[in-house]
Amino acid sequence: MIAGLTISGFADEISTDFDEQLRTVTELGMNHICLRAADGKGIAAYSLNQAETLLLPRLNAAGVRVSSLGSPIGKIDIADDAAFERQLMQLETLCRMCDLFDCDYIRVFSFYVPTDRPVDEWSETVVGKLRQFVDIAQRYDVTLIHENEKGIFGDTSARCRQLFDALAGAPFKAAFDFANFVQCGENPETCWQSLSNDVVYFHIKDARFDAERNVLCGRGDGRVPEILSQAVNAGYHGFLTLEPHLADFSTFASLERESSSAQQPARLDGPSAYAAQYHALLDILRTIEETGPR
């Protein structure tokens, strides 16, 4: 393993059962997960007490740590003020969970915006609401990592750039998702060149422009080996978080607002898909290590 890199992953893609998630990752030799859902319930639906009594003891017993909380914060309509107020309260709890789990990152999104007028016209409203999320995170010394998911405001590199420039200096950084940029029709390597200074986290997911499903990392158009090589050579230290989307899993439907052909998972079982992505990533990292700086 290249020094400074840690492999983590969205373990709910293995199984709804938290014990099976932990068993699978430890059998693979991993000791970190991104905690998105456990025992069939999303992490934002847990109270602090439930996280402490139901999840933390099992993590400790397995010797597994939490790299990030895979929250749904910001995955709501920009005009839904009631949902936004609920998410402000959820974020407070999630930030307290970060202290409980000794975790620095919470995954967030930048809202669904109406399509009846140009998307960029929503930028001021989006940034204003994100600032309220950031204000909460700052109080807890937590960094919000923005995922460039298709269909939200910040799904293209240009709009991601708008957000990072508007929130410069704040604990608001990028979780770079290769496949999501592909699904938006963008060249991920060009996106990396634009956003690299703000990337503190990677989601390891790949896709093809011309296929109807996600593919193993390094097999698609996400430019995963090339970008990771550039990141390593530039001194990137941090998490590489598996998000295969190669198997049917129970929370998949709730993660995507609408089903697009590129986001349809192949039919593998959860543990097999997770292991396949893990080993594909290891192969990429071995090649990077063997070839050395470029």
Side-chain angles (χ1 to χ4, degrees), residues 66-70 98 103-107 142-145 173 200-201 237-239:
V66 176
S67 62
S68 65
L69 298 182
C98 281
C103 163
D104 295 326
Y105 301 116
I106 297 175
R107 187 269 306 266
V142 168
T143 298
L144 304 182
I145 49 175
K173 295 294 182 180
V200 299
Y201 204 92
H237 290 74
F239 292 105

Side-chain angles (χ1 to χ4, degrees), residues 1 6-12 14 21-34 59 62-67 201 204 239-244 271 273-279 281-282:
M1 175 63 68
T6 302
I7 300 177
S8 179
F10 290 91
D12 58 330
I14 296 168
Q21 294 178 26
L22 296 174
R23 183 166 56 253
T24 298
V25 299
T26 55
E27 286 174 354
L28 287 171
M30 298 172 58
N31 55 17
H32 282 80
I33 63 169
C34 170
L59 286 162
V64 174
R65 300 182 63 184
V66 176
S67 62
Y201 204 92
I204 305 300
F239 292 105
L240 309 177
T241 290
L242 306 176
E243 190 183 14
Y274 202 84
Q277 188 84 327
Y278 175 71
H279 290 296
L281 176 59
L282 287 182

